[in-house]
Amino acid sequence: MRVDLSRRLVPDELWELLAPLMPKFVSRPQGGGTAPVEERAVFAVVVYVLTSGCAWRHLPESFGVSPATAHRRFSVWTEAGLWRRLHRAVLDELGARGDLDCRPRSSTPRRYELKGGSLKGPNPVDRGKKGSKLHVLYEAQGLPLAVAVSGTNMHDSQAFKPLILGIYPPSDPGADPGRRRPGKIRADKAYYSTEHLRWLRSRNLIPRIARPGIESGERRGRHRWKIERSISWLFGYRRFTVRYERKGSHFLAFLGLAAALTCYKRLAKLTT
């Protein structure tokens, strides 16, 4: 049963991309313990927790992985930056197949209430309740290119530059330049500023941001439905219904894994 669950949650093509990126297993310094658990089975557990929203302590025994082992390995992989590398690998593969259109669009952040933990802040529009919010940058077809987490007290525009700098262009030199490198940036009025326009043009990026009080946002709304659809893809993973992780790095790790899996679904369609 364990092998069947692992193969169903982690297809062979996804595992071929992931296996070379896995950090080498290091035994505990105090010694003892059991033999190393199969990495594919542990990764399947992480995917299960992300998709189902299951608590670590309530993992099904059919996986053959204890909750402590799964959470410990998840923490090690997070510190090693595995999720970002996996996201980049999937984007590389999509770019090599010519199915990545890097004309980014920013999204409206989603807020989470949180009493403790990192990457949080008082929400200025909800009586100062502490929480965090997500920032996602999408390409023209709706695939997530970069993700970030911040406190709710940080203005959306402050995440604009880091998200754009976080775009990882496909490494295929033979791909269409328009698909390898972003050409236009579409965003809401909240991201409009003279500094942002100057910064975008200095990087040869064409801004498509409505000017507050001058231009209507309805024209930008023609493209917004793709962002809303993409947001529904990410938040279809039930781990994001409520923020359970007190560590901001773990919450960001789940978001990065969700982005990688969302891009992989497009890759799987191309393959089949």
Side-chain angles (χ1 to χ4, degrees):
M1 179 64 71
R2 183 183 64 182
V3 176
D4 294 340
L5 285 174
S6 300
R7 291 188 178 276
R8 186 173 64 180
L9 293 174
V10 187
D12 292 338
E13 186 175 11
L14 176 60
W15 181 247
E16 290 178 1
L17 290 173
L18 178 64
L21 307 176
M22 284 281 188
K24 185 178 179 181
F25 174 78
V26 179
S27 59
R28 298 186 302 174
Q30 67 269 32
T34 58
V37 181
E38 183 184 0
E39 291 182 332
R40 186 168 184 171
V42 180
F43 184 77
V45 169
V46 177
V47 174
Y48 178 79
V49 170
L50 172 66
T51 56
S52 67
C54 173
W56 293 101
R57 63 180 180 275
H58 294 153
L59 288 175
E61 296 181 358
S62 54
F63 281 102
V65 180
S66 69
T69 298
H71 187 267
R72 182 168 56 249
R73 197 72 62 86
F74 170 74
S75 301
V76 171
W77 290 343
T78 299
E79 293 178 2
L82 175 62
W83 319 115
R84 181 174 176 82
R85 295 204 303 271
L86 175 61
H87 190 192
R88 289 178 174 180
V90 178
L91 290 176
D92 265 353
E93 190 65 25
L94 283 170
R97 301 189 185 194
D99 198 62
L100 190 64
D101 194 351
C102 288
R103 288 175 292 178
R105 291 160 167 80
S106 61
S107 71
T108 302
R110 177 167 178 173
R111 295 172 173 83
Y112 293 84
E113 292 184 8
L114 182 67
K115 294 183 179 180
S118 56
L119 293 179
K120 62 179 178 62
N123 192 342
V125 297
D126 193 11
R127 297 174 293 177
K129 292 182 179 179
K130 293 183 178 180
S132 58
K133 56 184 176 181
L134 310 183
H135 307 266
V136 186
L137 193 70
Y138 299 95
E139 51 95 59
Q141 302 177 85
L143 297 178
L145 296 176
V147 296
V149 178
S150 72
T152 52
N153 58 329
M154 191 184 84
H155 193 270
D156 300 347
S157 61
Q158 292 182 288
F160 191 62
K161 291 182 181 180
L163 282 176
I164 295 177
L165 293 175
I167 297 175
Y168 186 81
S171 59
D172 179 20
D176 180 11
R179 293 179 179 270
R180 293 177 54 233
R181 185 176 53 195
K184 299 179 181 179
I185 302 291
R186 301 184 186 274
D188 293 336
K189 293 182 179 180
Y191 298 93
Y192 182 88
S193 70
T194 304
E195 179 186 355
H196 282 163
L197 295 180
R198 186 184 301 112
W199 183 78
L200 290 173
R201 293 187 179 115
S202 68
R203 304 183 69 86
N204 297 322
L205 297 174
I206 302 175
R208 289 290 184 263
I209 308 174
R211 292 174 291 179
I214 299 178
E215 297 177 338
S216 172
E218 293 182 358
R219 294 186 60 187
R220 304 293 180 262
R222 295 180 300 174
H223 306 278
R224 186 175 179 82
W225 70 270
K226 293 184 179 180
I227 293 179
E228 298 296 340
R229 179 193 61 181
S230 303
I231 290 176
S232 68
W233 289 346
L234 283 181
F235 294 109
Y237 296 99
R238 296 183 63 84
R239 193 69 180 181
F240 298 125
T241 304
V242 179
R243 175 176 168 174
Y244 296 101
E245 284 70 35
R246 297 180 66 87
K247 287 187 176 181
S249 58
H250 287 184
F251 190 51
L252 179 60
F254 275 122
L255 181 59
L257 177 57
L261 294 178
T262 300
C263 295
Y264 170 74
K265 290 179 180 178
R266 175 66 61 83
L267 182 62
K269 288 183 179 180
L270 294 177
T271 304
T272 56

